[in-house]
Amino acid sequence: MIAIEDDARLTQLFSGETIRNRVAELGAAISGDFSNVSEADPLYLIAVLKGAFIFAADLIRAITVPCTIDFLSASSYGTAKTSSGTVALRHSLSVANRHVLLIEDIVDTGLTLQRISDELTAQHPASLGICTLLDKPAARKHPVRIAYTGFSIPDRFVVGYGIDYGEHYRQLPYIGFFSS
Ligand code: IMP
């Protein structure tokens, strides 16, 4: 495990300011696209834990239309840098007839979002969209339709801004990757 203090081995990919600006743009785009929601029928944000918790906290403050938020727990990595190939989901959400927007940190193989989408679609939401901060299109194995993408990135393992390696590095205010 690389110590957090050993930041020299982390190369910054997106600064806190770059992320802030992009999150503001995403919030504006989402608010524009969901201008028809109301207090009675608000946009239903569902953030995927744990990786999306910081992104979701910033994104919701950039959304100007009525919305509510819940959280869903998904895990596939454990302490490894590659997906285990199975996704464990934990939630008790009711999404029938709701306009749902899933908030994810990274779409990698697509397995996690495919599992979540399948499970929620079975409840017949009014609509189901995906907003991801990062997309690694080169790693895709399971097709997912993404409505909002913060940044497309190469197939590299990244940390920071809520994203972990073995539960570490989530508190970094930027997103970086390890240099060898
Ligand atoms: P997928 O199911 O392969 O699309 O993986 C999605 C999940 O894997 C993300 O929500 C992250 O939690 C995790 N993940 C994918 N790539 C990375 C990475 O580069 N760093 C840390 N976690 C990652």
Side-chain angles (χ1 to χ4, degrees):
M1 168 60 65
I2 299 161
I4 287 178
E5 302 81 53
D6 192 7
D7 260 13
R9 294 187 61 180
L10 268 176
T11 301
Q12 191 171 293
L13 191 57
F14 301 113
S15 69
E17 189 186 354
T18 300
I19 297 168
R20 252 191 316 282
N21 291 339
R22 187 68 188 122
V23 170
E25 289 173 356
L26 290 173
I30 292 165
S31 304
D33 292 347
F34 288 92
S35 58
N36 56 338
V37 300
S38 63
E39 295 289 348
D41 184 21
L43 175 61
Y44 191 7
L45 304 174
I46 298 179
V48 183
L49 293 173
K50 298 179 189 173
F53 82 106
I54 292 179
F55 176 42
D58 285 344
L59 184 66
I60 193 171
R61 285 176 285 180
I63 292 175
T64 53
V65 297
C67 61
T68 62
I69 188 162
D70 267 312
F71 299 88
L72 173 156
S73 173
S75 55
S76 63
Y77 270 54
T79 55
K81 279 187 183 172
T82 53
S83 175
S84 66
T86 57
V87 180
L89 298 186
R90 276 210 316 268
H91 72 93
S92 53
L93 303 171
S94 300
V95 301
N97 302 316
R98 302 289 309 268
H99 288 288
V100 175
L101 186 62
L102 287 168
I103 304 175
E104 177 64 298
D105 56 349
I106 307 179
V107 183
D108 187 27
T109 65
L111 179 66
T112 305
L113 278 176
Q114 195 180 63
R115 274 274 284 120
I116 295 170
S117 299
D118 286 352
E119 198 158 311
L120 296 185
T121 300
Q123 291 187 24
H124 304 293
S127 65
L128 180 65
I130 291 170
C131 174
T132 187
L133 178 64
L134 303 177
D135 183 19
K136 293 183 191 173
R140 195 77 82 255
K141 290 184 185 151
H142 308 270
V144 284
R145 190 131 53 92
I146 302 172
Y148 307 95
T149 301
F151 306 97
S152 279
I153 62 169
D155 189 7
R156 298 200 65 156
F157 195 85
V158 296
V159 294
Y161 193 67
I163 300 164
D164 76 311
Y165 171 44
E167 294 299 329
H168 291 272
Y169 306 103
R170 292 194 199 274
Q171 79 266 42
L172 295 177
Y174 60 89
I175 292 170
F177 60 88
F178 295 107
S179 339
S180 42

